[in-house]
Amino acid sequence: MSALPIRFPGGTPIWAPGKEPLPLGISEEERAQWEQMKKWESYTQMAMESCVAKTVLAGGAGFGIGAFFSLMSASFAYEDPYLRQQTQAGLKPHQKAREVFREMGKGMWSSGKGFGKVGALFAGIECVIEGYRAKNDIYNSVSAGFVAGGVLARNSGPKAAIGGGLAFAAFSAAIDLLFLRRETAEED
Amino acid sequence: MSFLGRGSSSQPSGGVNTAKIDLAITELDTVTDFFNRMVSSCHAKCISTRYAEPDLNKGENVCIDRCVAKFNEVQKKVGEKLQNRGAANAGG
């Protein structure tokens, strides 16, 4: 009789509702709690895999990278004695320090915003395209790169926008082919 | 659609009971077969053979959702048509 739970690999076990087996360590009294926890876990997983979450995370990562690069380059900019002489003519030391930090903060903020925009745009568009096509291949990144490049260069005229889109698409394709979709060696 | 509940509550006197149990067995076989077919068909269509990471991609997730929904729809429609044909055969 095939109503018994089939116990070979790939078979479909069928349990009476409410009597599915609990993992080890969970008793019957905790069943409701366990199922509640599982439900909220599945909601969290759905939220984490959604396009909005991916866009926000990519934007945040872009902001961080932009701020970091700006921080590194700000120290080099400060080392220029001619610039220092011009902008900090007769200030006292603690005012000079405050000016330095303010400049650094402004640079970090603007650079971070730029990179964050790029990251969020690319990740969001790629997620939407992949969700629409229901396929996972390289055309998602290439198209997302093209659209993101076009959007970022939209104020410089149509030719510049298309050129920027093509450049970003090529860059994205290169990164994907060389780093993300590389065939790993078979491990024996 | 499910007869499993009613089958166990009738009196234990052979006859009607075995008919209902047979119906329940057939239904369970049908559901298991449906599930297995759906799993293997949607797996063949949606999940690539290159296993690069353990989690499902967004594309694969979306594909599986759509595949299961379509399979359910088709199963319902086919079931309705079979029922209508069965009723027509029984009536006519």
Side-chain angles (χ1 to χ4, degrees), chain A:
Chain A
M1 193 166 101
S2 56
L4 292 169
I6 303 170
R7 293 195 196 281
F8 55 84
T12 315
I14 295 181
W15 311 100
K19 295 201 181 64
E20 300 99 355
L22 289 164
L24 295 172
I26 314 280
S27 61
E28 273 301 320
E29 297 91 44
E30 298 169 1
R31 183 184 279 273
Q33 209 180 350
W34 166 258
E35 297 196 347
Q36 181 88 326
M37 192 177 76
K38 279 284 155 196
K39 191 170 79 150
W40 283 105
E41 260 181 34
S42 84
Y43 286 159
T44 315
Q45 191 189 11
M46 238 177 14
M48 284 286 105
E49 289 176 355
S50 71
C51 280
V52 174
K54 286 192 178 162
T55 310
V56 166
L57 286 172
F63 183 84
I65 287 184
F68 178 72
F69 281 162
S70 164
L71 187 64
M72 294 296 111
S73 74
S75 57
F76 290 119
Y78 182 68
E79 289 304 311
D80 178 7
Y82 189 57
L83 184 67
R84 260 193 285 174
Q85 184 194 35
Q86 273 189 320
T87 56
Q88 297 166 355
L91 300 170
K92 294 205 288 245
H94 70 269
Q95 280 177 322
K96 264 195 219 173
R98 205 172 50 200
E99 281 308 311
V100 164
F101 282 124
R102 194 171 299 162
E103 288 297 317
M104 201 185 292
K106 264 195 281 202
M108 282 170 76
W109 174 254
S110 74
S111 168
K113 260 200 319 192
F115 272 85
K117 251 193 292 193
V118 169
L121 257 179
F122 179 76
I125 295 176
E126 182 186 20
C127 182
V128 166
I129 292 180
E130 184 169 356
Y132 178 73
R133 290 180 74 226
K135 275 190 257 202
N136 183 284
D137 48 19
I138 200 174
Y139 298 113
N140 300 328
S141 320
V142 169
S143 327
F146 182 73
V147 177
V151 167
L152 289 167
R154 67 192 178 282
N155 288 329
S156 323
K159 248 203 279 194
I162 293 183
L166 286 173
F168 203 150
F171 169 70
S172 166
I175 295 284
D176 255 14
L177 283 171
L178 293 176
F179 295 115
L180 297 177
R181 284 175 198 277
R182 182 177 280 210
E183 294 292 331
T184 50
E186 290 293 332
E187 292 160 0
D188 283 324

Side-chain angles (χ1 to χ4, degrees), chain A residues 1-3 6 10-12 14 49-51 54 127 130-136 180-184, chain B residues 21 25 28-29 31-32 35-36 46 48 50-53 55-64 66:
Chain A
M1 193 166 101
S2 56
I6 303 170
T12 315
I14 295 181
E49 289 176 355
S50 71
C51 280
K54 286 192 178 162
C127 182
E130 184 169 356
Y132 178 73
R133 290 180 74 226
K135 275 190 257 202
N136 183 284
L180 297 177
R181 284 175 198 277
R182 182 177 280 210
E183 294 292 331
T184 50
Chain B
I21 288 183
I25 293 176
L28 202 51
D29 277 339
V31 169
T32 316
F35 182 79
N36 286 336
C46 288
S48 82
R50 176 171 174 264
Y51 295 161
E53 49 183 28
D55 301 317
L56 291 172
N57 301 322
K58 178 148 183 80
E60 288 172 346
N61 266 326
V62 172
C63 179
I64 289 175
R66 291 180 189 170

Side-chain angles (χ1 to χ4, degrees), chain B residues 6-26:
Chain B
R6 269 185 280 149
S8 58
S9 62
S10 56
Q11 64 268 36
S13 63
V16 177
N17 220 357
T18 23
K20 285 197 174 162
I21 288 183
D22 281 337
L23 275 173
I25 293 176
T26 314

Side-chain angles (χ1 to χ4, degrees), chain B residues 36-73:
Chain B
N36 286 336
R37 275 179 206 274
M38 182 172 73
V39 166
S40 64
S41 142
C42 291
H43 182 280
K45 181 166 197 339
C46 288
I47 299 183
S48 82
T49 46
R50 176 171 174 264
Y51 295 161
E53 49 183 28
D55 301 317
L56 291 172
N57 301 322
K58 178 148 183 80
E60 288 172 346
N61 266 326
V62 172
C63 179
I64 289 175
D65 285 343
R66 291 180 189 170
C67 179
V68 168
K70 281 187 190 171
F71 214 91
N72 262 328
E73 275 297 314

